Amino acid sequence: MDIKWVRTFIISAKYENFREASEELFLTQPAVTKHIKRLEESLNILLFERIGNRVTLTPAGHKFLFLARELIANYEQGMMDFESWKQGYNRKLIIAAAPQIASSFLPALLRQFIDEHPNIEVIINVLSSFEIGKEISVGSADVGLSRILPVQTNIKTETVHTESVRLVGPNEPFLEEQTVLQKYRLITHNHPDYWDDLLPEIKSHYPTVKTMKVNQVEVTKRFIEAGLGVSFLPLTVVKEEIALNKLVEIKPDKITPPTSSTHLLTKVETEEVLAFAEFLKSTI
């Protein structure tokens, strides 16, 4: 039995149509038909009933579909584990990280962690903070680094870092809070936690402020550099651009800047998870 035949069977079962299956698999329709025929010959049973140009799963096809999905899942996991072994890894750690964290302090931190734990394969999934709790809850990730507290109650949450948020603008001289909030658009909603409270405060002092919603920090920074607006962003996110004079920090006046926290989310405390958690708390 060829694993390619099994893949073709699963896709064909999804559509119950060999033409549509061929399009998803980037195969010709005769090739799909050939794969199914050879699989049926290998199993010595019909998996599809042919009715004119249509095909439907037989009872045997329905039964084998569950086994086929399990077979493919085990095969893919086995190949991933084998590839990790070839690269010298014997353990794995999947980290779900919010974009702001992944693009700020996480790279330098990971480099040091990997240097200290060369046998741990680290996989990074960049997700919104709202998605990270679910990933940890269902076991799709081992560790979560989020900007908000999760709603799930079956996971452990620890605040590992809190930092100041700064008002930043384009590299122009003599920028003041009142001036920039009258001259530029305020770029909002690039952080999942503080804008719901911060924006009403800003509007209470500057009711004519114009806003622009941008849900990505990296895009926000590029917009600010281009003179499209100003925004309140966590210090770790903008300190490099401030040091390079791409952005400037604007001192607060009427607005009290909020803080931004990094939350460590875990569920199953494996050896790898405990090693990363301990390293994170001692390093960040």
Side-chain angles (χ1 to χ4, degrees), residues 17-110:
N17 185 300
F18 288 171
R19 179 186 59 78
E20 292 182 28
S22 70
E23 292 175 355
E24 179 168 331
L25 292 164
F26 299 102
L27 296 172
T28 63
Q29 188 170 332
V32 170
T33 302
K34 188 175 182 180
H35 284 186
I36 299 301
K37 182 179 179 181
R38 289 188 173 179
L39 180 60
E40 290 175 329
E41 290 173 350
S42 174
L43 296 171
N44 196 29
I45 197 166
L46 288 177
L47 301 173
F48 288 98
E49 182 180 1
R50 282 75 168 172
I51 305 174
N53 294 327
R54 296 177 55 248
V55 293
T56 59
L57 284 170
T58 64
H62 281 288
K63 177 67 176 178
F64 184 69
L65 181 58
F66 172 79
L67 299 174
R69 287 170 175 161
E70 192 173 58
L71 177 65
I72 290 296
N74 290 335
Y75 171 80
E76 290 178 346
Q77 184 61 55
M79 293 305 296
M80 288 173 60
D81 292 343
F82 181 64
E83 184 63 29
S84 295
W85 176 82
K86 287 197 302 180
Q87 294 181 36
Y89 300 120
N90 54 35
R91 292 181 291 168
K92 181 185 294 184
L93 181 69
I94 302 175
I95 301 173
Q100 291 184 352
I101 297 171
S103 63
S104 54
F105 64 82
L106 186 58
L109 186 145
L110 275 182

Side-chain angles (χ1 to χ4, degrees), residues 2-191:
D2 193 314
I3 199 70
K4 293 194 297 293
W5 305 345
V6 180
R7 292 186 191 277
T8 301
F9 166 73
I10 292 173
I11 301 302
S12 299
K14 179 172 72 171
Y15 294 110
E16 290 192 318
N17 185 300
F18 288 171
R19 179 186 59 78
E20 292 182 28
S22 70
E23 292 175 355
E24 179 168 331
L25 292 164
F26 299 102
L27 296 172
T28 63
Q29 188 170 332
V32 170
T33 302
K34 188 175 182 180
H35 284 186
I36 299 301
K37 182 179 179 181
R38 289 188 173 179
L39 180 60
E40 290 175 329
E41 290 173 350
S42 174
L43 296 171
N44 196 29
I45 197 166
L46 288 177
L47 301 173
F48 288 98
E49 182 180 1
R50 282 75 168 172
I51 305 174
N53 294 327
R54 296 177 55 248
V55 293
T56 59
L57 284 170
T58 64
H62 281 288
K63 177 67 176 178
F64 184 69
L65 181 58
F66 172 79
L67 299 174
R69 287 170 175 161
E70 192 173 58
L71 177 65
I72 290 296
N74 290 335
Y75 171 80
E76 290 178 346
Q77 184 61 55
M79 293 305 296
M80 288 173 60
D81 292 343
F82 181 64
E83 184 63 29
S84 295
W85 176 82
K86 287 197 302 180
Q87 294 181 36
Y89 300 120
N90 54 35
R91 292 181 291 168
K92 181 185 294 184
L93 181 69
I94 302 175
I95 301 173
Q100 291 184 352
I101 297 171
S103 63
S104 54
F105 64 82
L106 186 58
L109 186 145
L110 275 182
R111 179 175 180 178
Q112 186 177 344
F113 177 77
I114 290 171
D115 286 344
E116 294 181 12
H117 301 84
N119 294 327
I120 298 179
E121 179 185 10
V122 178
I123 298 172
I124 305 297
N125 292 331
V126 179
L127 303 168
S128 74
S129 289
F130 299 102
E131 299 174 291
I132 292 174
K134 181 181 177 181
E135 289 289 295
I136 301 299
S137 179
V138 301
S140 297
D142 303 307
V143 171
L145 295 174
S146 173
R147 288 297 196 183
I148 61 172
L149 293 169
V151 297
Q152 291 78 10
T153 58
N154 63 335
I155 59 180
K156 180 182 176 182
T157 304
E158 188 174 358
T159 302
V160 293
H161 181 64
T162 299
E163 62 180 300
S164 60
V165 171
R166 309 295 176 90
L167 175 60
V168 292
N171 187 11
E172 295 181 7
F174 311 117
L175 293 182
E176 297 179 347
E177 180 186 276
Q178 181 175 350
T179 303
V180 298
L181 291 175
Q182 291 174 342
K183 178 180 179 181
Y184 294 102
R185 285 179 172 83
L186 175 66
I187 302 177
T188 66
H189 293 84
N190 38 44
H191 190 285

Side-chain angles (χ1 to χ4, degrees), residues 116-284:
E116 294 181 12
H117 301 84
N119 294 327
I120 298 179
E121 179 185 10
V122 178
I123 298 172
I124 305 297
N125 292 331
V126 179
L127 303 168
S128 74
S129 289
F130 299 102
E131 299 174 291
I132 292 174
K134 181 181 177 181
E135 289 289 295
I136 301 299
S137 179
V138 301
S140 297
D142 303 307
V143 171
L145 295 174
S146 173
R147 288 297 196 183
I148 61 172
L149 293 169
V151 297
Q152 291 78 10
T153 58
N154 63 335
I155 59 180
K156 180 182 176 182
T157 304
E158 188 174 358
T159 302
V160 293
H161 181 64
T162 299
E163 62 180 300
S164 60
V165 171
R166 309 295 176 90
L167 175 60
V168 292
N171 187 11
E172 295 181 7
F174 311 117
L175 293 182
E176 297 179 347
E177 180 186 276
Q178 181 175 350
T179 303
V180 298
L181 291 175
Q182 291 174 342
K183 178 180 179 181
Y184 294 102
R185 285 179 172 83
L186 175 66
I187 302 177
T188 66
H189 293 84
N190 38 44
H191 190 285
D193 186 39
Y194 53 70
W195 279 107
D196 287 345
D197 294 325
L198 177 60
L199 192 53
E201 181 188 353
I202 295 172
K203 287 185 175 181
S204 70
H205 295 289
Y206 305 102
T208 61
V209 65
K210 295 180 179 179
T211 61
M212 176 193 296
K213 288 186 178 181
V214 177
N215 64 0
Q216 291 289 330
V217 169
E218 292 303 313
V219 176
T220 296
K221 292 193 291 184
R222 301 294 84 80
F223 278 17
I224 296 172
E225 289 177 21
L228 288 173
V230 297
S231 189
F232 287 86
L233 294 171
L235 178 59
T236 56
V237 169
V238 295
K239 66 179 183 179
E240 181 177 343
E241 284 80 5
I242 292 173
L244 295 173
N245 294 318
K246 293 181 178 180
L247 302 176
V248 295
E249 180 182 348
I250 301 160
K251 291 183 179 181
D253 181 15
K254 297 178 182 179
I255 308 301
T256 303
T259 57
S260 174
S261 296
T262 298
H263 307 288
L264 174 66
L265 280 52
T266 59
K267 184 178 180 181
V268 180
E269 294 187 331
T270 63
E271 183 180 343
E272 297 79 35
V273 168
L274 291 173
F276 181 79
E278 182 180 346
F279 170 83
L280 176 67
K281 288 183 284 186
S282 65
T283 306
I284 194 170

